[in-house]
Structures are given as structure tokens and as C-alpha cells.
Amino acid sequence: MEKLYEKYDKALPRYTSYPALPHWNKALNPFIWLENVNEHLSGAPELDIYIHIPYCKKLCWYCGCNREIAKSESKADPYITALRAEWSFLLRNLGSASKLKIKSIHLGGGTPTFLNRSQLESMLEVFRPYISNDFIGAVEIDPRTLTDEQLDVFKEYKFSRASLGIQDFDPEVQKQINRIQSYELVVETVSKLRANGFKSINFDLIYGLPAQSPETVKATIQKSLTLKPDLISFYSYAHLPERIKNQRLINADLLASSSEKRALYEGGRQELLGDDFVEIGLDHFAKKGSYLETALRENKLQRSFMGYTDQKSKVLIGLGATSISNTPSAYKQNEKNVKEYINQITLTGEASITTSHLLTPIDQEQNLKIQKLMCTQRIPLTENLNPRTALKLNQFVIDGLLEMKDDCYSVTEIGNIFLRNICAIFDEYLEGQTEQKRFSQSV
Ligand SMILES: C[S@@+](CC[C@H](N)C(=O)[O-])C[C@H]1O[C@@H](n2cnc3c(N)ncnc32)[C@H](O)[C@@H]1O
Ligand code: SF4
């Protein structure tokens, strides 16, 4: 196993998009983007919405997300105004605006539960006329900031999927990451969410945090399992203190070595698999019977910029700073700086594009292959494979990462750990690239 890690632990994209963001060609301007969205909405005017809330009350030292720390909720007022303006600008420019159906809204962050009741209401009311009957509302929740008033709003809008930032239950680990959050608080949060109509609950856990040991990770997972979450995201801690300043507050002496970190993952994974969870692609575990496990079993699993899902529209509109939007042939990311984002919207009504990509027909073909592999863990033998790709696949078979099954190459349990490496054989942008440090390690 060590040999496999040595061979395959490389800096590779996570393939949330193909091509990966550092390879985007920046070919879009606002006009081409709107034209592209209109084209893709012309058949079925259905879309998904992602809204980024870039505020948190307290800093978690490990955090790699785009957010700022603010004491007072009022800090978010101009941002909510900007979000509403961004949406109305879009509505004014969509040919099919009157027939629009919003299939889902995902509130992410930062911390959506930073917002108070009136801010949440003011943000969500603009979407009300367009919400479809089979709407899915999903929200990322920090148990430390969830209030009954927020729950009332989520209930009113029929939000049904919650993702809770847990990370670790061990008191010493919590101290080392500056995130004190008791088990009792999480018990109460889960029970309130269920009482308010949330049907699916995900826990975010991280391995590789300071002061973790195989025992503490095991204990955190066991405590998590007593609360019967439907999904568990088990993330590898990405420690990049050169780029992410707040991570310099982490005591690096307490971090696991690469081999210790792999043992933390392996231990946690075994604990989850032993409790009726199945592993879904990268980082995700789904309880048997949950919507993701059902989607996997029924071959309906999909992937979006927000992660794995069972339902996805052709068009995703990302509102807010850093948010990503996409259609089958274009990606674009909004201005990242929150102040700049608000200024831009105030001036023009439109968020400026930081980076973008217009997919070529070949990009679209390779993207489909990669996303299919990420979701089904299979490559059909009928796939159009060039000789070089076929050679690499054979090497994966020899190394035990893939096996030939029926009419496809199937990813093995070990192969799942190296899923990014397998996807990379379809990545035409990695060819001849010498500098791969813009990506995190593949395992
Ligand atoms: C936007 S946060 C979730 C919502 C909320 N802000 C919270 O923390 O409760 C998304 C998740 O990203 C993960 N995350 C943040 N920084 C990370 C890092 N450096 N490495 C790995 N995962 C990280 C955490 O598990 C976190 O729950
Ligand atoms: S982990 Fe969540 S709560 Fe903590 S700083 Fe990051 S976004 Fe905010």
C-alpha cells in the first residue's frame, strides 16, 4: 500500500469542474455569459441557485473558505442588498424570466446562519415567485449560531437538507482549532432541524487536524453516528499556511505526518463502512437508504460545484462574492473580494467576472467522462479510449486500482483512494504541465 501512495500521491485537481479552475481560458464577458445562459434556458427554463454568505462570527483557525469575521449581523445588510440587485439584473436579462423554475437553492459560506431572520427573509423573498413544486432547499449550518428564528424561515421555505460543520468532538482538538462546540449543542441542533422539516442531515468532519489521533477520530465518528446523520463528509485537512494566513495560528508541531494522516483516514473510513455507510467518490459517505446512496444505487448520482447530488439542472446560477455559475458549456466565477463585489453591483447591477471558461466540444466530452467516473466509479469498455489512455488504464488494473467487470473498468476499494489519479487520465490540460502545485495532493 505504501508503494501505491508513493507512486500516486501527486498534486491533482479535485475535478469539481473540468477543466479545473487554474486551466480556465477566461473567454467569457458578461454579454457572452448572458447569451450562453439564455441559450441553455430556452428549452427548459429550470435552474439551481447557489448563494454565498461570506461572514462568520468567529474564526476557525483551520478554515480555508472565503469569508470574513464580523461581530455584528448588520455588516451583512449591504451584501443582502447587493444579492437582491444581482438577481434582479439577471431577471431583466433572461428571455425566459417569466417562466423560470428554481429547482433548488443552496446557501453556503462562510456561514448562512450568520444572517438574522429579517436578512434571511429579505434575501429569499425575491426567489419566491419562481420556486418549483419539487424545490430542494439546502443550507450549511454552524450549530453555534443557529437560532429558532432562522429555523422558522427555513421551514417557511421548505428547506429540507442541512449540512452541519462539526469537524471534531474532541475538546483538545477543538481548542487547537479555536472551535469549541459541545456534543450536547449538536444533539440539540440535530433534533431541532428534524422537528422543523429537515429530512437529510450531513456532518462535515475533518481528519488531519492538530492533536488528532486514531483514537480521537474514531471517537468523533462514533459520537457522530449516535446522531444518525444521513451523510458524512470526511475531508482531508488542507494546510496551506503560506497562502491562508489564519492557518499560521495552528500549532504545526501537532499535525500528523502524511503516513499518520493516511492512518487517520483509513481508521475513520473503516468505522463508517462498518456502520452501513457507503463511500461516494471523494470525501463523502452516505448511509444506506439516504438520498445519495439511493441515487448511487439507481445510477442517478450527479456532481455539481457544491458536491454530490441526486438532482441537477442544466444551469447553476451562483450569486454573491466568489460564487461559481455554470451551464453545460460555460463556467464563470464572481468577484472574490466582498467589498469590491458590493461596489460593482451598486455601480452596474452586475457582478464582475473574475475568471471563466467556455468549454470546447472536446472539453465537454472529457468533462462527461470525468463526471461519470466520479459518480459511477466505472469506465465503460465502449468508451472511446486512445491507446495512451488504454495503456494507463491497464497499469491501474495491474496496481489493483481498477478491475475488469462485465463491460467496464470498475474502481476497486483501494482505487477509490486514488480516484483523482484515475480521472486525471482524461485531463488534457495536465499534459506537459510541469508546475502542478496549484492543486492539492491527490490522496
Ligand atoms: C463553509 S464551511 C461549513 C459551514 C459553517 N461555516 C461551519 O463551519 O459550520 C464548509 C466546510 O469546509 C471544511 N473546511 C474548511 N476549511 C478546511 C480546510 N482547510 N481543510 C479541509 N476542510 C476544510 C469544513 O469541514 C467546513 O465545515
Ligand atoms: S469553518 Fe465555517 S465557521 Fe469556521 S471560519 Fe470557516 S466558514 Fe467560518
Side-chain angles (χ1 to χ4, degrees):
M1 195 68 189
E2 266 316 302
K3 280 210 172 116
L4 287 179
Y5 277 118
E6 256 171 52
K7 182 169 176 183
Y8 290 116
D9 192 9
K10 292 185 186 145
L12 287 174
R14 299 177 58 78
Y15 296 113
T16 336
S17 69
Y18 174 80
L21 195 138
H23 295 144
W24 288 7
N25 58 20
K26 302 185 172 59
L28 293 182
N29 60 35
F31 180 75
I32 308 180
W33 166 246
L34 284 171
E35 210 176 50
N36 187 289
V37 174
N38 271 320
E39 186 188 311
H40 287 287
L41 285 178
S42 65
E46 295 181 343
L47 48 81
D48 296 321
I49 288 183
Y50 170 79
I51 307 176
H52 189 75
I53 308 298
Y55 302 104
C56 299
K57 289 245 156 94
K58 222 172 161 211
L59 175 69
C60 308
W61 292 344
Y62 59 83
C63 180
C65 307
N66 178 42
R67 41 86 204 112
E68 33 188 79
I69 306 303
K71 287 269 170 301
S72 161
E73 291 144 18
S74 61
K75 176 98 191 197
D77 285 337
Y79 188 77
I80 302 287
T81 308
L83 284 173
R84 290 171 57 109
E86 189 184 3
W87 174 244
S88 31
F89 177 88
L90 197 76
L91 282 181
R92 287 197 301 279
N93 287 281
L94 292 183
S96 50
S98 61
K99 287 186 247 128
L100 270 192
K101 288 262 170 288
I102 297 176
K103 302 282 282 183
S104 73
I105 295 182
H106 183 117
L107 306 180
T111 308
T113 50
F114 176 90
L115 305 178
N116 61 32
R117 178 207 284 263
S118 64
Q119 289 170 328
L120 276 175
E121 275 172 345
S122 151
M123 179 177 80
L124 291 172
E125 71 178 7
V126 295
F127 306 110
R128 202 194 277 274
Y130 309 99
I131 286 179
S132 73
N133 293 333
D134 54 355
F135 169 78
I136 294 174
V139 53
E140 293 172 16
I141 283 173
D142 179 346
R144 297 168 303 168
T145 58
L146 182 67
T147 65
D148 290 347
E149 288 76 31
Q150 292 162 346
L151 277 167
D152 284 346
V153 182
F154 295 139
K155 191 173 179 183
E156 190 193 332
Y157 281 86
K158 298 194 174 69
F159 272 63
S160 58
R161 294 180 182 176
S163 177
L164 274 62
I166 306 289
Q167 326 311 345
D168 196 294
F169 279 120
D170 187 81
E172 181 55 27
V173 176
Q174 293 194 355
K175 196 172 121 202
Q176 295 297 334
I177 58 174
N178 197 39
R179 183 174 179 136
I180 309 293
Q181 178 176 291
S182 71
Y183 173 71
E184 290 69 30
L185 174 70
V186 179
V187 173
E188 194 192 330
T189 305
V190 168
S191 128
K192 280 185 175 175
L193 286 168
R194 292 209 166 109
N196 280 279
F198 281 86
K199 299 206 168 50
S200 171
I201 292 184
N202 172 76
F203 282 4
D204 283 347
L205 304 179
I206 307 183
Y207 64 93
L209 290 172
Q212 278 182 337
S213 67
E215 291 72 35
T216 63
V217 170
K218 189 170 167 186
T220 286
I221 292 184
Q222 285 174 347
K223 273 191 164 170
S224 301
L225 293 176
T226 59
L227 298 175
K228 307 208 174 311
D230 307 271
L231 310 168
I232 289 192
S233 308
F234 192 39
Y235 296 119
S236 164
Y237 172 45
H239 187 61
L240 303 156
E242 320 76 46
R243 250 182 39 207
I244 304 168
K245 267 199 195 148
N246 54 277
Q247 292 186 347
R248 294 178 201 162
L249 295 163
I250 296 265
N251 182 349
D253 294 341
L254 299 179
L255 291 175
S257 67
S258 333
S259 62
E260 286 166 342
K261 195 172 169 190
R262 289 199 284 267
L264 295 178
Y265 165 70
E266 265 310 316
R269 179 184 194 230
Q270 289 316 325
E271 208 56 36
L272 289 167
L273 296 180
D275 187 82
D276 254 9
F277 274 78
V278 295
E279 193 165 17
I280 296 205
L282 292 174
D283 315 320
H284 289 74
F285 291 83
K287 182 91 176 163
K288 294 211 174 114
S290 65
Y291 75 90
L292 274 192
E293 189 273 334
T294 309
L296 176 74
R297 211 171 354 98
E298 294 177 352
N299 213 3
K300 291 180 185 153
L301 197 64
Q302 312 218 36
R303 207 154 167 262
S304 74
F305 277 100
M306 286 85 75
Y308 284 96
T309 182
D310 55 342
Q311 183 187 300
K312 182 173 140 184
S313 309
K314 263 196 199 167
V315 175
L316 167 71
I317 296 294
L319 302 172
T322 68
S323 293
I324 294 181
S325 304
N326 78 276
T327 72
S329 61
Y331 307 138
K332 74 130 186 166
Q333 183 174 37
N334 279 359
E335 167 62 45
K336 289 184 188 170
N337 182 286
V338 178
K339 218 167 153 190
E340 205 36 52
Y341 163 80
I342 296 173
N343 287 344
Q344 283 282 340
I345 300 268
T346 314
L347 278 173
T348 63
E350 192 180 10
S352 59
I353 300 177
T354 344
T355 183
S356 62
H357 188 83
L358 204 51
L359 284 88
T360 64
I362 294 176
D363 286 344
Q364 292 184 43
E365 207 178 296
Q366 299 305 90
N367 181 40
L368 277 183
K369 285 181 194 164
I370 289 178
Q371 298 313 335
K372 216 170 0 153
L373 173 55
M374 279 280 189
C375 292
T376 62
Q377 269 119 315
R378 278 185 221 123
I379 305 168
L381 287 176
T382 48
E383 197 77 83
N384 186 13
L385 302 169
N386 65 37
R388 200 175 37 83
T389 309
L391 212 65
K392 286 187 184 166
L393 286 175
N394 275 340
Q395 190 55 52
F396 288 141
V397 174
I398 294 166
D399 288 340
L401 274 48
L402 290 177
E403 61 191 358
M404 303 280 261
K405 237 187 196 173
D406 307 325
D407 51 358
C408 61
Y409 290 98
S410 182
V411 179
T412 62
E413 212 183 300
I414 292 175
N416 201 43
I417 301 171
F418 304 99
L419 195 55
R420 285 157 77 173
N421 302 73
I422 305 175
C423 289
I425 61 170
F426 296 117
D427 189 338
E428 308 216 331
Y429 291 81
L430 289 180
E431 281 301 302
Q433 182 183 295
T434 48
E435 187 261 315
Q436 298 191 350
K437 276 293 157 203
R438 287 173 297 179
F439 304 112
S440 58
Q441 294 303 109
S442 61
V443 287

